Amino acid sequence: MHFPLKEPVLIFGFAVLIFLLFPILMGKLRIPAIIGPIIAGIIVGPNGLEILERDSTIQLLGTVGLLFIMFIAGLELDLDGFKKYRNRSILFGMLSFLIPLVLGVLIGLWLHLSMLSAILFGSIFSTHTLLGYPAITFSCRHNRGV
């Protein structure tokens, strides 16, 4: 077998294995399962073991993976818990958006970007709020013994 993989069927099969095995492994390590495919992508990608290269198949699977992460985060939303802890939930959402945005803008200005470019730079970091939610809910459940 030659690396990086070129055959789309092998790439797809390898990706399915990753989506199946890595969340289970993360659960055993008491890490949120949603982190597994992200870590696996880093490991097998062009900047890791170079098992997969960034081609059209991987770009498509990456988009599907992103949609999968958003779907899982949506499934994990507890609307009753949100209503119960409305102020905390809003504060968490605001802080997890604003802190990366402000830091990104400041770093962008420090790098001598224009104001619009610095705002765009900061917004790239601030849009990852969705990735923090499963980790927070996992740790809250784990601490409560659920």
Side-chain angles (χ1 to χ4, degrees):
M1 189 174 297
H2 300 283
F3 296 108
L5 297 176
K6 303 275 187 203
E7 179 64 37
V9 174
L10 287 176
I11 293 171
F12 180 75
F14 192 69
V16 167
L17 281 174
I18 287 172
F19 278 116
L20 177 67
L21 297 178
F22 269 79
I24 294 170
L25 176 64
M26 293 296 114
K28 299 270 187 215
L29 298 174
R30 296 186 181 220
I31 298 172
I34 201 71
I35 304 297
I38 296 170
I39 292 174
I42 294 168
I43 293 171
V44 302
N47 296 321
L49 298 175
E50 297 181 10
I51 295 172
L52 300 174
E53 66 180 3
R54 186 168 176 84
D55 62 359
S56 60
T57 305
I58 291 300
Q59 289 175 347
L60 174 66
L61 290 174
T63 303
V64 170
L66 180 60
L67 293 173
F68 176 71
I69 289 171
M70 294 189 316
F71 176 73
I72 295 299
L75 284 178
E76 291 183 359
L77 281 175
D78 178 12
L79 292 180
D80 292 330
F82 178 78
K83 289 176 187 174
K84 184 177 178 182
Y85 300 108
R86 179 175 305 164
N87 293 336
R88 289 183 191 174
S89 300
I90 292 171
L91 181 64
F92 170 73
M94 295 293 287
L95 290 177
S96 63
F97 176 80
L98 289 175
I99 291 172
L101 176 67
V102 170
L103 288 175
V105 169
L106 292 174
I107 291 170
L109 293 173
W110 180 71
L111 293 172
H112 305 292
L113 298 176
S114 69
M115 180 55 82
L116 287 176
S117 298
I119 292 171
L120 177 62
F121 187 74
S123 68
I124 291 169
F125 295 113
S126 65
T127 58
H128 289 79
T129 303
L130 184 62
L131 297 177
Y133 179 76
I136 295 297
T137 56
F138 178 83
S139 64
C140 289
R141 280 191 212 135
H142 181 67
N143 291 335
R144 284 188 309 202
V146 174

